[in-house]
Amino acid sequence: MALLRKINQVLLFLLIVTICGILYKKVHRGTVLRNETDDDSETPEDMEDEIPVVICAAAGRMGAAMAAINSIYSNTDANILFYVVGLRNTLSRIRKWIEHSKLREINFKIVEFNPMVLKGKIRPDSARPELLQPLNFVRFYLPLLIHQHEKVIYLDDDVIVQGDIQELYDTTLALGHAAAFSDDCDLPSSQDIHRLVGLQNTYMGYLDYRKKTIKDLGISPSTCSFNPGVIVANMTEWKHQRITKQLEKWMQKNVEENLYSSSLGGGVATSPMLIVFHGKYSTINPLWHIRHLGWNPDTRYSEHFLQEAKLLHWNGRHKPWDFPSVHNDLWESWFVPDPAGIFKLHHPNS
């Protein structure tokens, strides 16, 4: 009888441990990205009509996200649901900016990103510390944010949209592709890459081909890179291919082996995506990602060329809300002043 009681106690203990493990996994998953609002009352019909757009609002550059949101909302009749992602200490400021400005009419959800999910996965880099900000990695975790939608748009905050976002959303993704990006070798002729000194448009600029792990991938260093600042993603394929897990694996490998040429290319957020999506992505219409406007403050483009663009991206160090920068008049036309008066433009005449 004593033996039977002991066996029952052991079984009970194992059951409790199993339940605790399951609960831990659920809680851990829920803390990566958490909706500030828990309103799940939308009907399936409503969700089918919505275009989910994910954009991050970082503390020091929140005005960028608001300008991007304003440009998107003002140039479409589509039903947009903005997922505005921030860290815990910025959530109330995000809400105040939206609700106390001209953006109060937008349909939005504020989502908290827990940077603890990145613990041990980011290698310090003094060359481009701004690229190591936690929100720079939100794009890796899209399925943990988007639960109801099959398709989603992710945008960097330093963009403005001049076209109807419905067109970008309608980008066709080939069978088996989890995402669509813009190829760096498909720049319009007006953007002569030779004018952009130091710009990288091949894998050589992002991966350290001196490392055996990189060589073993079998990817030619002259392969065209792509820019993940504008993404159209299929959530079903993303989850099926375990894209997030693959990206985390290559983040971890970089911590251990220092595999990426982040001082040359776009840092540790771009490089894992180049590896994971190599040969397995669809392409976006080049006019939907006219980029490098923040690369060189002395390089300007014709007004006609910029007017034809559907989306403008100031990737690079020279942001349109700072000085020096180029074509900041196009960005400022969408700027939404900060109700709290914290975010200010840093221009000579502002």
Side-chain angles (χ1 to χ4, degrees), residues 313-329:
H313 188 184
W314 279 263
N315 59 311
R317 297 177 185 270
H318 303 282
K319 303 305 183 186
W321 54 89
D322 278 334
F323 180 83
S325 58
V326 295
H327 304 300
N328 49 8
D329 55 319

Side-chain angles (χ1 to χ4, degrees), residues 36-283:
E36 192 190 39
T37 55
D38 296 322
D39 181 12
D40 294 322
S41 58
E42 293 176 295
T43 65
E45 290 77 12
D46 291 336
M47 288 184 288
E48 284 180 10
D49 293 337
E50 283 176 343
I51 297 178
V53 176
V54 177
I55 191 161
C56 297
R61 44 195 281 170
M62 200 172 288
M66 300 304 163
I69 290 170
N70 186 29
S71 70
I72 295 165
Y73 182 72
S74 300
N75 283 307
T76 186
D77 291 325
N79 181 19
I80 311 297
L81 174 58
F82 292 99
Y83 286 81
V84 188
V85 186
L87 302 182
R88 175 172 294 181
N89 62 349
T90 65
L91 303 184
S92 60
R93 186 178 165 208
I94 293 171
R95 179 170 294 282
K96 181 178 179 181
W97 200 322
I98 293 174
E99 294 184 346
H100 293 81
S101 72
K102 63 187 295 184
L103 299 179
R104 65 178 63 91
E105 301 298 325
I106 70 171
N107 185 19
F108 71 100
K109 291 184 179 182
I110 297 176
V111 180
E112 176 189 346
F113 182 71
N114 185 350
M116 288 303 295
V117 73
L118 302 172
K119 188 176 181 179
K121 299 185 181 75
I122 301 177
R123 184 183 185 89
D125 177 19
S126 58
R128 297 289 303 276
E130 74 276 13
L131 298 176
L132 302 180
Q133 296 301 315
L135 295 180
N136 206 27
F137 299 90
V138 164
R139 71 197 86 195
F140 288 13
Y141 297 94
L142 292 177
L144 299 182
L145 170 59
I146 303 293
H147 302 295
Q148 307 104 324
H149 301 278
E150 171 77 7
K151 200 174 185 182
V152 59
I153 293 173
Y154 168 89
L155 298 176
D156 277 353
D157 62 354
D158 50 354
V159 308
I160 61 167
V161 172
Q162 301 186 135
D164 187 339
I165 198 75
Q166 180 76 54
E167 294 179 26
L168 180 61
Y169 185 74
D170 289 340
T171 297
T172 300
L173 274 66
L175 187 65
H177 286 179
F181 307 98
S182 292
D183 272 333
D184 285 333
C185 294
D186 285 346
L187 294 176
S189 57
S190 300
Q191 277 195 293
D192 183 0
I193 194 170
H194 298 296
R195 300 170 63 193
L196 302 168
V197 178
L199 181 68
Q200 305 299 316
N201 69 340
T202 67
Y203 275 53
M204 175 66 84
Y206 295 88
L207 308 182
D208 188 346
Y209 276 84
R210 297 171 298 180
K211 303 293 174 68
K212 182 178 184 300
T213 300
I214 297 300
K215 290 179 181 176
D216 289 348
L217 290 170
I219 301 174
S220 169
S222 62
T223 301
C224 268
S225 54
F226 58 80
N227 187 298
V230 177
I231 306 173
V232 180
N234 180 310
M235 292 295 91
T236 300
E237 278 296 333
W238 193 292
K239 288 182 281 191
H240 175 70
Q241 297 179 31
R242 299 172 61 84
I243 297 294
T244 297
K245 286 294 182 186
Q246 292 188 59
L247 291 169
E248 288 186 323
K249 167 191 164 184
W250 284 102
M251 291 173 74
Q252 189 65 51
K253 278 184 173 291
N254 184 53
V255 170
E256 298 165 358
E257 303 178 47
N258 194 17
L259 301 174
Y260 307 143
S261 307
S262 55
S263 60
L264 293 175
V268 292
T270 298
S271 301
M273 300 195 84
L274 292 177
I275 294 172
V276 171
F277 285 100
H278 174 251
K280 295 182 293 186
Y281 66 91
S282 299
T283 55

Side-chain angles (χ1 to χ4, degrees), residues 29-40:
R29 178 183 175 90
T31 56
V32 176
L33 291 154
R34 180 165 59 238
N35 285 331
E36 192 190 39
T37 55
D38 296 322
D39 181 12
D40 294 322

